[in-house]
Amino acid sequence: MYIRDTIAAVSTPPGNGGIGIIRVSGGLASTVGFSVFKSVRDGGLESHRFSFGTVCDPSTGEKLDEAMAVYMRAPRSYTREDVLELHCHGGWLVVERVLSLVLSCGVRLAEPGEFTRRAFLNGRIDLVQAEAVMEIIASKSESALQLAQRQSGGALSIRFEAVRASLLKALALVEAYIDFPEDDLGNTDKSTILASAQEANTIICSLLSTFEEGRAMRDGISVLIIGKPNVGKSSLLNRLLNENRAIVTAVPGTTRDIIEEVIVFGGLSLRLLDTAGIRHTDDLVESEGISRALAKIPQADLVLAVFDASMEFSNEDQFILNALADSRAIAVFNKSDLPRKLVLPNIDFFYAVTEISALTGAGIDLLKRQVCSLFSPSNQSDPCDFVAISRSRHRDALVTAANHLQQFSAGVKDCSLDLLALDLRGALYSIGSITGQTATDEVLDLIFSSFCIGK
Amino acid sequence: MINYDQKYDVIVVGAGHAGCEAALASSRMGCRTMLLTINLDAIALMSCNPSIGGLAKGHLVKEVDALGGEMAKNIDATGIQFRVLNTKKGPAVRASRAQADKQLYRLRMKRVLEHQHNLDLKQGEVTSLYIESGELRGVELQSGIRYLSKTVVVTTGTFMRGLIHIGLSHYPGGRAGDQPSIGLSDQLQKLGFSVGRLKTGTPARLDARSIDFSKLEPQFGDTPPLPFSLSTDRISMPQLPCHIAYTNPRSHDIIRSGLDRSPLYSGIIEGIGPRYCPSIEDKVVRFPDKERHQTFIEPEGLDTIEVYPSGMSTSLPVDVQIAFYRSIVGLECVEIMRPAYAIEYDYVDPIQLHTSLETKLIKNLYHAGQINGTSGYEEAAGQGLIAGINAALRVKGRDPLILGRSEAYIGVMIDDLVTLGTKEPYRMFTSRAEYRLLMREDNADLRLREIGYRLGLVPEQEYAHFLDKKRMIGEELERISVSRLQHSDNTQAELARRGLHDIQKGTTLEHLLKRSDICYADLADLDPISRETPKEVSDQVEIHTKYKGYIDRQIEQVKQSKKMETTCIPTDLNYASIKSLTTEVREKLSTNRPDTLGQASRIPGVTPAAISILAIALKSASRKENAEECHH
């Protein structure tokens, strides 16, 4: 609980409402306003006046959204601190992007109920409300916790644990060299320390890069359309796009390269990738397209595996199923207008199986809804108001940890051990802010179990 | 019981490293003090290793010194080898260590105590605290006499229900050759204290005449030896080397063959031992692949043939001890003068203490040293000093001295103990300190001298010297921030000689000093004025300049946590009434009863959300009663 610093959070319910408000409270509020908000009028922000303008990333100059901004100088504000509110035009992607821009200005993400808590501690709201505030914090942090535990069925926490374990290993080594110079530990082995730190960094980087939300926010959700030749991939793409973009013919193998289209619906931007039909071929150009398509599978946020429902299951279909292992995929049975012959063996690993007819358009809306429900927080069940926040928190912590590790790597050759320990501790502390663990005892445990200490 | 006619302000029970500092502090602060010990010939005795300092421990000693304690002066006067460790690992983790002449160390401390105004020294065994209608009034001795006092500091070391083990035989003892203290821990338990059992051990003392030192590698101290204390000009004792020896697979076989007669492995010892200071049998069992274990053969004094093989403590039977010590190269014919042994003793869970080291159960009762579950002379001295100071402050009706986690290792140690308790003997490590860069040995005086002076523990003259130093540091920092490098032929030549071609004309000295390839001593060749700077000043200027970014970052973290660290929780707060806290958190807080919000946040399982709720509950309670935040 830091009383002095500046906090920010999205203060409207998540989802794709009309307006999304980002609220900033604390000493940096006006600085944030000046750096991210460009008013159409000259003179910037006046206290308690709405201004119309744009939210821009000052480092790139990129315009994120049109917005209304209001600045309220302390003490005439909800928290009795300087407060800035940015009213964006909604769409959770935009709101999240603006929030992360604000957070990059030296502002911390607010804890559950923290605005209200500050309002109370600063005497803004009365005593009777205190109990209510405590209730809110208790229940919100509880639901955030449940959510964190549910997220990815614990897969995420396993990876956070792996990061922690590597960091702890590196730190334990550094601390052992520091605290036990007279125990026969040999010379300082910086390469092992660095290797452990890099192990942690690798996981952090992959977490950051595969973070659905982070990627979705930067460049939309990538949806890869895959299937053997002539099952109707391009027809499906056109249906989703509502226009004829890809060449559609009845000759297998017409789409030889990957076609990329962006569509926006349900507040999500989807990057649709149509690929060459998959089958064994001697045609060099086409086999090049196929291998490129297969290579895209691990990077895609979602795969639409298209099958021809009017044909029997084939070796090529099996080839696709094999390639899909471990990816997030929906099975699309095209040509529902024809009599069904297809039976898929072992379809457990698909998120959904949907029947469509690219020809008639039947089932396309259902497919769109299924795609949305996988990514849009507004379509997730109950404590959805914490999906976004807890995720931003994770990303926030991971970025901080990555920065510490970058400093560590840069200094590992020349810096003394006490400074290196500081960087590793910084990284561990950030990860600990997600997992809720402190490190001191664990570092000592690890030292005593790995080294024979005892002069 | 006979009441002694003199009434004391402070009675200190036990004259080990904690008790001596406690008694000196309170008597120097003007309180009538009595120091009671079971054996007047064992005052400040080094029961285990004949050395002071080391990593984090050196920090503690320098802090004790800066506050006006005695340990640093005592080792400076009696030390026979001084070394600074970790010289290449960064200023924050540099630490001093010294070998002591064990007998001279004890005798000098006794002499200091004997000459201390306001202080009486007496021999006797305290069997109980004298408590009248719920209030602590003094102590009662086995001899039938009762001493009255306003406060009592208990520093029992390993004496409470001490039990010595050698092989499968064991007998009561506070230390080899001394009686244990019986009765006191039973009484404490009856009073509601939770009493636990710990174990520690010490190696055999060997006859140096039977060791072939030509086969061992000598390790000499630094020349010149650097003193611990700010008050010591130079070390005048003769200096001796230690010697390094190693066990081998045969030694390990011998140890393994004796495990069936080990009290540790046969389950006779119940107390928990320190993992950082395991016995040799523990090392062999836990690290079976390690082919050798290192030992430093340390001299016990200038005038004795007894030597101490560090890291070789054991509770194995004497015949196994003889065989395995003799399996070490250089020790083939070694004679044991005193056998190694393990000792179990009672400690009182430190969670039952306030940060002032006063017990939460009995007002005016303070605990310090091993009774709090710590190990080490330095840890004991740090706590003893604080307990003595706080007992004296209580007598004077003043607020206790609480050192923060960002101010001193002593503060970290006490906060850890009273917040988290301990299950194994607690030793200080630098890794326990989150603000390590701010709390260095070299700036102990800058952190604590002022406090020591205000308490009346630092003499005027020494304080004046400190103020001079502080002023000079400030002036030199200012000077180098504005002084620019003069570009004479001489400086050009110097820069070229060092390969520093990229330095621009007019660079400030501060900028120059920030570079990793330039240290303050280099400045002397480029800037004549810096040649005049005393080393104690230039050291600070150099560290401050080079590490400024990191130091500032930590200072900012300290500022941010200040609010939590200074928000007090009333001792009688009814956690059950705070409904929003989960049952688990409520139970934890009710058991621990933290003094501050900061401490509450460090209790495992107390979530940030719980802390928020607690903060609000405190705020609404204080608004109701119009109470104020406390400021330590």
Side-chain angles (χ1 to χ4, degrees), chain A residues 117 120 175 177-179 182 421 445 448 453-455, chain B residues 86 89 97 275 278 283 286 294 298 430 436 554 612 623:
Chain A
R117 196 181 80 215
F120 173 75
E175 297 292 2
Y177 288 125
I178 288 176
D179 265 334
E182 296 185 287
D445 288 347
F448 298 140
I453 298 292
K455 180 187 170 296
Chain B
N86 276 354
K89 293 175 190 165
R97 182 178 191 284
R275 282 176 302 168
K283 292 182 184 183
R286 287 181 49 220
Q294 178 182 264
E298 304 176 5
T430 70
R436 188 157 62 186
Q554 293 219 315
S612 293
R623 266 197 223 163

PDB file of all heavy atoms in Angstrom, chain A residues 117 120 175 177-179 182 421 445 448 453-455, chain B residues 86 89 97 275 278 283 286 294 298 430 436 554 612 623:
ATOM      1  N   ARG A 117     -10.655   3.725  -1.410  1.00  0.00           N
ATOM      2  CA  ARG A 117      -9.874   3.728  -0.178  1.00  0.00           C
ATOM      3  C   ARG A 117      -9.181   5.063   0.016  1.00  0.00           C
ATOM      4  O   ARG A 117      -9.169   5.630   1.101  1.00  0.00           O
ATOM      5  CB  ARG A 117      -8.836   2.606  -0.217  1.00  0.00           C
ATOM      6  CG  ARG A 117      -8.276   2.316   1.135  1.00  0.00           C
ATOM      7  CD  ARG A 117      -7.248   1.234   1.067  1.00  0.00           C
ATOM      8  NE  ARG A 117      -5.982   1.767   0.610  1.00  0.00           N
ATOM      9  CZ  ARG A 117      -5.134   1.093  -0.160  1.00  0.00           C
ATOM     10  NH1 ARG A 117      -5.435  -0.105  -0.566  1.00  0.00           N
ATOM     11  NH2 ARG A 117      -4.003   1.627  -0.510  1.00  0.00           N
ATOM     12  N   PHE A 120     -11.519   7.622   1.099  1.00  0.00           N
ATOM     13  CA  PHE A 120     -11.805   7.503   2.528  1.00  0.00           C
ATOM     14  C   PHE A 120     -10.652   8.027   3.380  1.00  0.00           C
ATOM     15  O   PHE A 120     -10.841   8.852   4.271  1.00  0.00           O
ATOM     16  CB  PHE A 120     -12.107   6.058   2.903  1.00  0.00           C
ATOM     17  CG  PHE A 120     -12.235   5.883   4.378  1.00  0.00           C
ATOM     18  CD1 PHE A 120     -13.373   6.322   5.026  1.00  0.00           C
ATOM     19  CD2 PHE A 120     -11.194   5.368   5.129  1.00  0.00           C
ATOM     20  CE1 PHE A 120     -13.480   6.219   6.404  1.00  0.00           C
ATOM     21  CE2 PHE A 120     -11.294   5.260   6.496  1.00  0.00           C
ATOM     22  CZ  PHE A 120     -12.448   5.692   7.137  1.00  0.00           C
ATOM     23  N   GLU A 175      23.556 -14.533  -3.898  1.00  0.00           N
ATOM     24  CA  GLU A 175      23.546 -14.319  -2.450  1.00  0.00           C
ATOM     25  C   GLU A 175      24.496 -15.268  -1.732  1.00  0.00           C
ATOM     26  O   GLU A 175      25.096 -14.913  -0.725  1.00  0.00           O
ATOM     27  CB  GLU A 175      22.130 -14.476  -1.884  1.00  0.00           C
ATOM     28  CG  GLU A 175      21.123 -13.454  -2.408  1.00  0.00           C
ATOM     29  CD  GLU A 175      21.396 -12.036  -1.934  1.00  0.00           C
ATOM     30  OE1 GLU A 175      22.390 -11.806  -1.215  1.00  0.00           O
ATOM     31  OE2 GLU A 175      20.613 -11.133  -2.295  1.00  0.00           O
ATOM     32  N   TYR A 177      27.347 -16.344  -2.933  1.00  0.00           N
ATOM     33  CA  TYR A 177      28.688 -15.781  -3.100  1.00  0.00           C
ATOM     34  C   TYR A 177      28.890 -14.568  -2.203  1.00  0.00           C
ATOM     35  O   TYR A 177      29.983 -14.314  -1.722  1.00  0.00           O
ATOM     36  CB  TYR A 177      28.937 -15.389  -4.559  1.00  0.00           C
ATOM     37  CG  TYR A 177      29.105 -16.573  -5.471  1.00  0.00           C
ATOM     38  CD1 TYR A 177      28.318 -16.722  -6.600  1.00  0.00           C
ATOM     39  CD2 TYR A 177      30.049 -17.554  -5.191  1.00  0.00           C
ATOM     40  CE1 TYR A 177      28.463 -17.822  -7.440  1.00  0.00           C
ATOM     41  CE2 TYR A 177      30.205 -18.654  -6.019  1.00  0.00           C
ATOM     42  CZ  TYR A 177      29.406 -18.779  -7.137  1.00  0.00           C
ATOM     43  OH  TYR A 177      29.557 -19.862  -7.946  1.00  0.00           O
ATOM     44  N   ILE A 178      27.830 -13.819  -1.993  1.00  0.00           N
ATOM     45  CA  ILE A 178      27.940 -12.622  -1.147  1.00  0.00           C
ATOM     46  C   ILE A 178      28.060 -13.007   0.325  1.00  0.00           C
ATOM     47  O   ILE A 178      28.963 -12.562   1.019  1.00  0.00           O
ATOM     48  CB  ILE A 178      26.713 -11.701  -1.341  1.00  0.00           C
ATOM     49  CG1 ILE A 178      26.782 -11.011  -2.710  1.00  0.00           C
ATOM     50  CG2 ILE A 178      26.642 -10.664  -0.234  1.00  0.00           C
ATOM     51  CD1 ILE A 178      25.577 -10.152  -3.031  1.00  0.00           C
ATOM     52  N   ASP A 179      27.137 -13.826   0.787  1.00  0.00           N
ATOM     53  CA  ASP A 179      27.042 -14.058   2.232  1.00  0.00           C
ATOM     54  C   ASP A 179      27.999 -15.120   2.760  1.00  0.00           C
ATOM     55  O   ASP A 179      28.217 -15.202   3.958  1.00  0.00           O
ATOM     56  CB  ASP A 179      25.596 -14.425   2.617  1.00  0.00           C
ATOM     57  CG  ASP A 179      24.810 -13.192   3.067  1.00  0.00           C
ATOM     58  OD1 ASP A 179      25.447 -12.232   3.544  1.00  0.00           O
ATOM     59  OD2 ASP A 179      23.574 -13.186   2.935  1.00  0.00           O
ATOM     60  N   GLU A 182      33.616 -17.246   2.829  1.00  0.00           N
ATOM     61  CA  GLU A 182      34.617 -18.116   3.446  1.00  0.00           C
ATOM     62  C   GLU A 182      34.246 -19.588   3.363  1.00  0.00           C
ATOM     63  O   GLU A 182      34.951 -20.442   3.858  1.00  0.00           O
ATOM     64  CB  GLU A 182      34.834 -17.703   4.896  1.00  0.00           C
ATOM     65  CG  GLU A 182      35.423 -16.300   5.001  1.00  0.00           C
ATOM     66  CD  GLU A 182      35.736 -15.962   6.430  1.00  0.00           C
ATOM     67  OE1 GLU A 182      34.800 -15.729   7.206  1.00  0.00           O
ATOM     68  OE2 GLU A 182      36.923 -15.951   6.773  1.00  0.00           O
ATOM     69  N   ALA A 421      22.419  -8.353  -7.552  1.00  0.00           N
ATOM     70  CA  ALA A 421      21.386  -8.905  -6.676  1.00  0.00           C
ATOM     71  C   ALA A 421      20.165  -7.993  -6.673  1.00  0.00           C
ATOM     72  O   ALA A 421      19.022  -8.450  -6.656  1.00  0.00           O
ATOM     73  CB  ALA A 421      21.920  -9.073  -5.258  1.00  0.00           C
ATOM     74  N   ASP A 445      16.565 -20.897   1.863  1.00  0.00           N
ATOM     75  CA  ASP A 445      16.312 -22.347   1.770  1.00  0.00           C
ATOM     76  C   ASP A 445      17.109 -22.947   0.623  1.00  0.00           C
ATOM     77  O   ASP A 445      17.714 -24.012   0.760  1.00  0.00           O
ATOM     78  CB  ASP A 445      14.818 -22.622   1.516  1.00  0.00           C
ATOM     79  CG  ASP A 445      13.978 -22.339   2.743  1.00  0.00           C
ATOM     80  OD1 ASP A 445      14.567 -22.180   3.834  1.00  0.00           O
ATOM     81  OD2 ASP A 445      12.743 -22.270   2.614  1.00  0.00           O
ATOM     82  N   PHE A 448      20.844 -23.115   1.348  1.00  0.00           N
ATOM     83  CA  PHE A 448      21.233 -24.171   2.290  1.00  0.00           C
ATOM     84  C   PHE A 448      21.027 -25.564   1.705  1.00  0.00           C
ATOM     85  O   PHE A 448      21.685 -26.515   2.109  1.00  0.00           O
ATOM     86  CB  PHE A 448      20.465 -24.033   3.604  1.00  0.00           C
ATOM     87  CG  PHE A 448      20.747 -22.743   4.306  1.00  0.00           C
ATOM     88  CD1 PHE A 448      19.737 -22.047   4.936  1.00  0.00           C
ATOM     89  CD2 PHE A 448      22.036 -22.211   4.317  1.00  0.00           C
ATOM     90  CE1 PHE A 448      19.998 -20.843   5.570  1.00  0.00           C
ATOM     91  CE2 PHE A 448      22.305 -21.010   4.947  1.00  0.00           C
ATOM     92  CZ  PHE A 448      21.283 -20.325   5.575  1.00  0.00           C
ATOM     93  N   ILE A 453      26.935 -25.154   3.500  1.00  0.00           N
ATOM     94  CA  ILE A 453      27.349 -23.936   4.181  1.00  0.00           C
ATOM     95  C   ILE A 453      27.688 -24.278   5.627  1.00  0.00           C
ATOM     96  O   ILE A 453      27.040 -25.108   6.231  1.00  0.00           O
ATOM     97  CB  ILE A 453      26.200 -22.906   4.177  1.00  0.00           C
ATOM     98  CG1 ILE A 453      25.831 -22.508   2.742  1.00  0.00           C
ATOM     99  CG2 ILE A 453      26.532 -21.701   5.028  1.00  0.00           C
ATOM    100  CD1 ILE A 453      26.861 -21.729   2.003  1.00  0.00           C
ATOM    101  N   GLY A 454      28.661 -23.640   6.184  1.00  0.00           N
ATOM    102  CA  GLY A 454      28.920 -23.877   7.601  1.00  0.00           C
ATOM    103  C   GLY A 454      30.382 -23.869   7.914  1.00  0.00           C
ATOM    104  O   GLY A 454      31.049 -24.884   7.988  1.00  0.00           O
ATOM    105  N   LYS A 455      30.898 -22.659   8.034  1.00  0.00           N
ATOM    106  CA  LYS A 455      32.305 -22.506   8.318  1.00  0.00           C
ATOM    107  C   LYS A 455      32.516 -22.774   9.801  1.00  0.00           C
ATOM    108  O   LYS A 455      31.708 -22.434  10.619  1.00  0.00           O
ATOM    109  CB  LYS A 455      32.701 -21.068   8.005  1.00  0.00           C
ATOM    110  CG  LYS A 455      34.139 -20.780   8.261  1.00  0.00           C
ATOM    111  CD  LYS A 455      34.362 -19.276   8.064  1.00  0.00           C
ATOM    112  CE  LYS A 455      35.706 -18.856   8.517  1.00  0.00           C
ATOM    113  NZ  LYS A 455      36.005 -19.008   9.921  1.00  0.00           N
TER     114      LYS A 455
ATOM    115  N   ASN B  86      34.993  -9.839   0.950  1.00  0.00           N
ATOM    116  CA  ASN B  86      34.195  -9.362  -0.193  1.00  0.00           C
ATOM    117  C   ASN B  86      34.653  -8.024  -0.743  1.00  0.00           C
ATOM    118  O   ASN B  86      33.833  -7.227  -1.200  1.00  0.00           O
ATOM    119  CB  ASN B  86      32.722  -9.207   0.222  1.00  0.00           C
ATOM    120  CG  ASN B  86      31.961 -10.516   0.132  1.00  0.00           C
ATOM    121  OD1 ASN B  86      32.492 -11.506  -0.335  1.00  0.00           O
ATOM    122  ND2 ASN B  86      30.731 -10.490   0.567  1.00  0.00           N
ATOM    123  N   LYS B  89      33.213  -7.384  -4.206  1.00  0.00           N
ATOM    124  CA  LYS B  89      31.814  -7.687  -4.524  1.00  0.00           C
ATOM    125  C   LYS B  89      30.873  -6.509  -4.301  1.00  0.00           C
ATOM    126  O   LYS B  89      29.656  -6.675  -4.312  1.00  0.00           O
ATOM    127  CB  LYS B  89      31.349  -8.902  -3.722  1.00  0.00           C
ATOM    128  CG  LYS B  89      32.058 -10.178  -4.160  1.00  0.00           C
ATOM    129  CD  LYS B  89      31.701 -11.378  -3.311  1.00  0.00           C
ATOM    130  CE  LYS B  89      32.632 -12.543  -3.640  1.00  0.00           C
ATOM    131  NZ  LYS B  89      32.567 -13.578  -2.614  1.00  0.00           N
ATOM    132  N   ARG B  97      36.026  -8.861   9.650  1.00  0.00           N
ATOM    133  CA  ARG B  97      36.047 -10.064  10.474  1.00  0.00           C
ATOM    134  C   ARG B  97      37.366 -10.069  11.230  1.00  0.00           C
ATOM    135  O   ARG B  97      38.389  -9.637  10.706  1.00  0.00           O
ATOM    136  CB  ARG B  97      35.957 -11.274   9.553  1.00  0.00           C
ATOM    137  CG  ARG B  97      35.924 -12.589  10.280  1.00  0.00           C
ATOM    138  CD  ARG B  97      35.791 -13.748   9.296  1.00  0.00           C
ATOM    139  NE  ARG B  97      35.494 -14.952  10.016  1.00  0.00           N
ATOM    140  CZ  ARG B  97      36.397 -15.642  10.706  1.00  0.00           C
ATOM    141  NH1 ARG B  97      37.646 -15.245  10.732  1.00  0.00           N
ATOM    142  NH2 ARG B  97      36.050 -16.724  11.364  1.00  0.00           N
ATOM    143  N   ARG B 275      20.812 -24.386  10.040  1.00  0.00           N
ATOM    144  CA  ARG B 275      21.180 -25.003   8.767  1.00  0.00           C
ATOM    145  C   ARG B 275      22.477 -24.427   8.194  1.00  0.00           C
ATOM    146  O   ARG B 275      23.142 -25.043   7.392  1.00  0.00           O
ATOM    147  CB  ARG B 275      20.063 -24.797   7.743  1.00  0.00           C
ATOM    148  CG  ARG B 275      18.897 -25.722   7.924  1.00  0.00           C
ATOM    149  CD  ARG B 275      17.820 -25.369   6.938  1.00  0.00           C
ATOM    150  NE  ARG B 275      17.397 -23.979   7.106  1.00  0.00           N
ATOM    151  CZ  ARG B 275      16.644 -23.316   6.255  1.00  0.00           C
ATOM    152  NH1 ARG B 275      16.242 -23.887   5.150  1.00  0.00           N
ATOM    153  NH2 ARG B 275      16.285 -22.071   6.494  1.00  0.00           N
ATOM    154  N   PRO B 278      25.854 -26.394  10.209  1.00  0.00           N
ATOM    155  CA  PRO B 278      25.566 -27.793  10.538  1.00  0.00           C
ATOM    156  C   PRO B 278      26.785 -28.477  11.136  1.00  0.00           C
ATOM    157  O   PRO B 278      27.917 -28.029  10.942  1.00  0.00           O
ATOM    158  CB  PRO B 278      25.221 -28.407   9.182  1.00  0.00           C
ATOM    159  CG  PRO B 278      25.914 -27.562   8.176  1.00  0.00           C
ATOM    160  CD  PRO B 278      26.057 -26.187   8.763  1.00  0.00           C
ATOM    161  N   LYS B 283      26.739 -32.408   7.523  1.00  0.00           N
ATOM    162  CA  LYS B 283      27.274 -32.068   6.193  1.00  0.00           C
ATOM    163  C   LYS B 283      27.500 -33.334   5.376  1.00  0.00           C
ATOM    164  O   LYS B 283      27.173 -33.399   4.196  1.00  0.00           O
ATOM    165  CB  LYS B 283      28.612 -31.323   6.325  1.00  0.00           C
ATOM    166  CG  LYS B 283      28.506 -29.939   6.936  1.00  0.00           C
ATOM    167  CD  LYS B 283      29.886 -29.290   6.969  1.00  0.00           C
ATOM    168  CE  LYS B 283      29.851 -27.952   7.668  1.00  0.00           C
ATOM    169  NZ  LYS B 283      31.156 -27.287   7.652  1.00  0.00           N
ATOM    170  N   ARG B 286      24.062 -34.891   4.418  1.00  0.00           N
ATOM    171  CA  ARG B 286      23.244 -34.102   3.482  1.00  0.00           C
ATOM    172  C   ARG B 286      23.938 -33.887   2.140  1.00  0.00           C
ATOM    173  O   ARG B 286      23.273 -33.671   1.131  1.00  0.00           O
ATOM    174  CB  ARG B 286      22.854 -32.775   4.118  1.00  0.00           C
ATOM    175  CG  ARG B 286      21.781 -32.949   5.196  1.00  0.00           C
ATOM    176  CD  ARG B 286      21.374 -31.620   5.810  1.00  0.00           C
ATOM    177  NE  ARG B 286      21.087 -30.623   4.795  1.00  0.00           N
ATOM    178  CZ  ARG B 286      21.439 -29.346   4.881  1.00  0.00           C
ATOM    179  NH1 ARG B 286      22.099 -28.919   5.924  1.00  0.00           N
ATOM    180  NH2 ARG B 286      21.122 -28.509   3.927  1.00  0.00           N
ATOM    181  N   GLN B 294      35.922 -27.988   4.104  1.00  0.00           N
ATOM    182  CA  GLN B 294      37.026 -27.117   4.478  1.00  0.00           C
ATOM    183  C   GLN B 294      36.949 -26.750   5.964  1.00  0.00           C
ATOM    184  O   GLN B 294      35.867 -26.648   6.528  1.00  0.00           O
ATOM    185  CB  GLN B 294      36.892 -25.854   3.634  1.00  0.00           C
ATOM    186  CG  GLN B 294      37.896 -24.782   3.882  1.00  0.00           C
ATOM    187  CD  GLN B 294      37.595 -23.582   2.986  1.00  0.00           C
ATOM    188  OE1 GLN B 294      38.162 -23.420   1.921  1.00  0.00           O
ATOM    189  NE2 GLN B 294      36.673 -22.748   3.436  1.00  0.00           N
ATOM    190  N   GLU B 298      41.730 -22.079  13.640  1.00  0.00           N
ATOM    191  CA  GLU B 298      41.854 -20.714  14.155  1.00  0.00           C
ATOM    192  C   GLU B 298      42.536 -20.719  15.523  1.00  0.00           C
ATOM    193  O   GLU B 298      42.173 -21.517  16.388  1.00  0.00           O
ATOM    194  CB  GLU B 298      40.461 -20.078  14.279  1.00  0.00           C
ATOM    195  CG  GLU B 298      39.680 -20.100  12.965  1.00  0.00           C
ATOM    196  CD  GLU B 298      38.254 -19.570  13.101  1.00  0.00           C
ATOM    197  OE1 GLU B 298      37.889 -19.093  14.202  1.00  0.00           O
ATOM    198  OE2 GLU B 298      37.501 -19.644  12.112  1.00  0.00           O
ATOM    199  N   THR B 430      23.202 -10.771   4.891  1.00  0.00           N
ATOM    200  CA  THR B 430      22.919  -9.501   4.209  1.00  0.00           C
ATOM    201  C   THR B 430      21.691  -9.637   3.322  1.00  0.00           C
ATOM    202  O   THR B 430      21.016  -8.666   3.046  1.00  0.00           O
ATOM    203  CB  THR B 430      24.112  -9.014   3.346  1.00  0.00           C
ATOM    204  OG1 THR B 430      24.243  -9.870   2.219  1.00  0.00           O
ATOM    205  CG2 THR B 430      25.400  -8.989   4.147  1.00  0.00           C
ATOM    206  N   ARG B 436      19.843  -3.137   1.311  1.00  0.00           N
ATOM    207  CA  ARG B 436      21.236  -3.454   1.575  1.00  0.00           C
ATOM    208  C   ARG B 436      22.193  -2.343   1.150  1.00  0.00           C
ATOM    209  O   ARG B 436      23.196  -2.102   1.793  1.00  0.00           O
ATOM    210  CB  ARG B 436      21.562  -4.752   0.828  1.00  0.00           C
ATOM    211  CG  ARG B 436      22.901  -5.316   1.135  1.00  0.00           C
ATOM    212  CD  ARG B 436      22.956  -6.783   0.842  1.00  0.00           C
ATOM    213  NE  ARG B 436      22.730  -7.086  -0.557  1.00  0.00           N
ATOM    214  CZ  ARG B 436      22.619  -8.332  -1.022  1.00  0.00           C
ATOM    215  NH1 ARG B 436      22.705  -9.354  -0.206  1.00  0.00           N
ATOM    216  NH2 ARG B 436      22.414  -8.551  -2.291  1.00  0.00           N
ATOM    217  N   GLN B 554      16.634   3.184  -3.864  1.00  0.00           N
ATOM    218  CA  GLN B 554      16.277   2.568  -2.577  1.00  0.00           C
ATOM    219  C   GLN B 554      15.696   3.595  -1.604  1.00  0.00           C
ATOM    220  O   GLN B 554      14.776   3.291  -0.861  1.00  0.00           O
ATOM    221  CB  GLN B 554      17.498   1.867  -1.970  1.00  0.00           C
ATOM    222  CG  GLN B 554      17.935   0.658  -2.806  1.00  0.00           C
ATOM    223  CD  GLN B 554      18.373  -0.518  -1.954  1.00  0.00           C
ATOM    224  OE1 GLN B 554      19.113  -0.364  -0.988  1.00  0.00           O
ATOM    225  NE2 GLN B 554      17.927  -1.701  -2.307  1.00  0.00           N
ATOM    226  N   SER B 612      -5.107  -3.262   3.265  1.00  0.00           N
ATOM    227  CA  SER B 612      -5.981  -2.130   2.956  1.00  0.00           C
ATOM    228  C   SER B 612      -7.125  -2.048   3.953  1.00  0.00           C
ATOM    229  O   SER B 612      -7.452  -0.984   4.470  1.00  0.00           O
ATOM    230  CB  SER B 612      -6.580  -2.290   1.558  1.00  0.00           C
ATOM    231  OG  SER B 612      -5.568  -2.192   0.603  1.00  0.00           O
ATOM    232  N   ARG B 623     -10.224   7.935  14.026  1.00  0.00           N
ATOM    233  CA  ARG B 623     -11.092   9.104  13.912  1.00  0.00           C
ATOM    234  C   ARG B 623     -12.091   9.149  15.062  1.00  0.00           C
ATOM    235  O   ARG B 623     -12.407  10.195  15.575  1.00  0.00           O
ATOM    236  CB  ARG B 623     -11.845   9.075  12.588  1.00  0.00           C
ATOM    237  CG  ARG B 623     -11.124   9.865  11.520  1.00  0.00           C
ATOM    238  CD  ARG B 623     -12.057  10.166  10.393  1.00  0.00           C
ATOM    239  NE  ARG B 623     -11.366   9.948   9.142  1.00  0.00           N
ATOM    240  CZ  ARG B 623     -11.987   9.815   7.978  1.00  0.00           C
ATOM    241  NH1 ARG B 623     -13.295   9.836   7.920  1.00  0.00           N
ATOM    242  NH2 ARG B 623     -11.291   9.639   6.893  1.00  0.00           N
TER     243      ARG B 623
END
